[in-house]
Amino acid sequence: MMAWLSYSRLYAVIEWVWRRLMSIWRFSTTVFLRGSALAIGWRRDQGSRHDPELCQRGPEEKTLEGGGLPSVEVEDSDCEGQREAEAEQRAEPEPPRELQTCGEEEEEDFDSEEYRVETTDELYCDYDSTWETEEQQGGVGQPRTTRRPASHEKFNRFQNAARDMQNYRHGYPSIPQRWKTPITDDKPNLNFYLGLKPSQPDGVYIKNFHDDWFGEYDTLEYVHTYIQWLFPLEEPGMNYEASTLTKEEVKEFVKNSTAKDNLLKSYKLMLDFYGIKLCDETTGEVERSPNWRKRFHNLNSHTHNNLRITRILKCQGILGFPHYQAPLVRFFLKETLVHGELPRVRESVLNYFVFAVLDRRQRRSLLKFAYMNYDQRDEFVWCPKKIQMAWLKQLVSEPQNIMDGVLESAQ
């Protein structure tokens, strides 16, 4: 009994000390971030050439960076298996203002001088055109001379992924000749989607996929020869009996209502497999399905599905559903960064999913949302440092957001 009493008192003391230390840490963080914001503002008041005024606007940008064809899915296995600590899922009645916007809803002057990035920025990525203006864009896939940052494993993985995703967004100009399908009258992918031929080697027609495979989760998980037929791209996948998509097929596909209707059904099939449902066919908004817990467990346990989702996003961009990309990516950003779900999907969301979105302004908004909700912002490598500092200034203008950890999301 005496030992138990001694332990109980000691535990109470330890708990009191721990609470005091946490209070001191929060106070120190707030003071530091406020100081950073003041320092940034002071440099701008002095007329710094590196931080021009917000009111200056750059040239107009095109909505899409090319409606062309995608590149190869080559996600790093290290990225897929990286362990990420799960953040606690919190709930607040009134989420911070920054977290209520993500995607095209957010009106921000991304074209202002505030968002002009120099190639000397510490986290400038050679292959990411997200922050470039039209006059800055050079040859696709041609690295520029930059000041390289200190060795950073996350940044290196991001830059490797960015090379692939930029090729996709710009029409895949460097596709190897051996991957190109000769021009013929036969259009296997289009004919499959019109119900005129079955997939190979499974011999399944598109209608049978939609009617017989829906909800067959084990089949969808362990069969690896159907995803290339349901979401064709211009590069080969694991099924060498699937034909790569041709430009002629793309042109005919996007004009064919039957093909597009069937592609939408294929999308719903895979969303259900991942524990997601399409709640608005016009906007592409998605939400959790009733069985999301079991499906999330499967998605988090079988990381090859990250490759499949990347393929789905790319396919949407070229076969008539580019407006579906941002809502799906926003969903995964909330699940991974805000709710702490799917830790083994998180790196793929940031390295691949975000950068599959063709609309540059939507990518920028998605990246801002990701930064505001990232648990360790000093390790955020997916946009240049200058832009991160601008977002940090906005963040610290509302101290209450910092005290709450800026982890909550609009429900």
Side-chain angles (χ1 to χ4, degrees):
M1 178 64 72
M2 293 297 294
W4 181 82
L5 288 172
S6 176
Y7 172 77
S8 299
R9 292 171 182 171
L10 179 61
Y11 179 81
V13 172
I14 293 174
E15 182 180 22
W16 182 85
V17 172
W18 174 252
R19 290 182 180 273
R20 291 296 180 185
L21 288 175
M22 290 301 295
S23 298
I24 294 172
W25 179 83
R26 286 187 175 183
F27 176 77
S28 301
T29 301
T30 303
V31 172
F32 171 75
L33 292 176
R34 282 181 178 174
S36 298
L38 290 174
I40 294 171
W42 180 83
R43 287 202 303 273
R44 295 223 173 115
D45 292 340
Q46 298 302 312
S48 170
R49 291 181 299 171
H50 299 289
D51 294 292
E53 294 297 327
L54 288 172
C55 60
Q56 299 181 21
R57 295 185 59 84
E60 294 297 325
E61 295 181 15
K62 296 179 181 178
T63 302
L64 303 182
E65 291 183 18
L69 298 170
S71 58
V72 188
E73 294 176 311
V74 284
E75 295 189 51
D76 294 334
S77 58
D78 291 340
C79 167
E80 305 297 356
Q82 185 173 7
R83 297 179 180 177
E84 301 287 356
E86 292 194 32
E88 290 186 6
Q89 181 175 347
R90 305 180 185 181
E92 290 289 338
E94 285 295 330
R97 175 180 58 83
E98 288 86 351
L99 303 186
Q100 295 176 341
T101 56
C102 178
E104 65 275 19
E105 300 91 341
E106 182 171 5
E107 294 295 334
E108 180 159 351
D109 187 8
F110 283 123
D111 297 327
S112 70
E113 291 291 342
E114 179 85 6
Y115 291 96
R116 297 298 184 90
V117 179
E118 301 295 331
T119 59
T120 53
D121 190 280
E122 180 183 357
L123 292 177
Y124 183 89
C125 177
D126 290 332
Y127 302 99
D128 177 23
S129 57
T130 300
W131 305 103
E132 291 181 356
T133 59
E134 292 297 324
E135 71 270 15
Q136 288 177 313
Q137 294 183 23
V140 178
Q142 298 299 320
R144 294 164 286 275
T145 302
T146 64
R147 177 170 62 85
R148 307 315 305 166
S151 178
H152 201 307
E153 185 180 357
K154 281 187 178 180
F155 181 82
N156 292 336
R157 287 201 299 270
F158 163 51
Q159 179 139 286
N160 289 335
R163 181 187 296 108
D164 171 61
M165 302 311 292
Q166 188 182 16
N167 278 329
Y168 152 69
R169 294 194 308 269
H170 286 78
Y172 209 171
S174 57
I175 181 172
Q177 185 64 36
R178 68 180 182 277
W179 289 353
K180 295 182 179 180
T181 302
I183 298 177
T184 65
D185 292 333
D186 183 31
K187 298 178 176 62
N189 294 291
L190 180 60
N191 287 330
F192 166 73
Y193 257 98
L194 294 178
L196 301 178
K197 68 171 298 180
S199 66
Q200 297 297 330
D202 303 303
V204 181
Y205 285 89
I206 188 64
K207 186 178 187 302
N208 298 120
F209 273 118
H210 298 157
D211 294 344
D212 302 336
W213 289 46
F214 195 96
E216 295 295 326
Y217 298 139
D218 286 343
T219 302
L220 291 169
E221 177 59 52
Y222 296 109
V223 176
H224 300 286
T225 50
Y226 69 90
I227 197 71
Q228 298 82 8
W229 287 96
L230 292 187
F231 301 95
L233 298 176
E234 198 189 8
E235 79 271 359
M238 295 298 294
N239 180 6
Y240 296 104
E241 295 190 50
S243 300
T244 55
L245 196 62
T246 66
K247 293 181 179 179
E248 290 73 22
E249 285 181 302
V250 172
K251 292 177 182 178
E252 293 190 33
F253 196 106
V254 296
K255 296 177 182 178
N256 192 298
S257 59
T258 299
K260 291 186 67 176
D261 287 345
N262 280 329
L263 181 59
L264 179 57
K265 291 178 182 178
S266 296
Y267 183 48
K268 292 179 180 179
L269 169 74
M270 295 307 295
L271 286 180
D272 176 74
F273 173 59
Y274 296 132
I276 310 170
K277 66 177 181 179
L278 182 66
C279 53
D280 192 323
E281 291 187 8
T282 301
T283 65
E285 292 299 318
V286 296
E287 60 184 25
R288 291 174 175 178
S289 60
N291 63 342
W292 68 272
R293 292 187 185 278
K294 289 184 178 180
R295 303 318 308 152
F296 274 26
H297 176 74
N298 181 81
L299 178 56
N300 196 57
S301 303
H302 299 83
T303 56
H304 68 92
N305 283 294
N306 297 342
L307 289 164
R308 290 176 170 180
I309 296 170
T310 302
R311 171 177 280 269
I312 291 170
L313 287 165
K314 287 180 176 182
C315 185
Q316 288 176 336
I318 61 174
L319 291 184
F321 293 91
H323 56 294
Y324 276 18
Q325 293 179 310
L328 182 60
V329 175
R330 180 170 64 248
F331 173 86
F332 278 113
L333 284 174
K334 285 185 178 181
E335 292 297 340
T336 56
L337 301 183
V338 179
H339 301 312
E341 302 288 346
L342 305 171
R344 298 186 70 194
V345 181
R346 188 168 87 157
E347 290 288 325
S348 288
V349 177
L350 291 164
N351 282 331
Y352 288 89
F353 298 2
V354 170
F355 295 94
V357 176
L358 292 178
D359 189 290
R360 184 186 288 111
R361 185 171 293 274
Q362 289 180 338
R363 284 205 309 279
R364 293 173 177 180
S365 293
L366 290 166
L367 285 169
K368 181 177 182 180
F369 180 86
Y371 176 77
M372 292 296 189
N373 289 276
Y374 203 71
D375 51 357
Q376 294 178 297
R377 296 191 190 95
D378 59 331
E379 296 183 6
F380 194 87
V381 300
W382 293 277
C383 75
K385 278 290 185 183
K386 176 184 176 181
I387 294 169
Q388 294 187 33
M389 295 303 290
W391 289 341
L392 181 63
K393 182 182 178 182
Q394 297 176 21
L395 184 63
V396 300
S397 65
E398 300 181 29
Q400 186 60 43
N401 292 350
I402 301 173
M403 298 302 294
D404 292 338
V406 201
L407 292 173
E408 294 81 6
S409 172
Q411 299 297 324

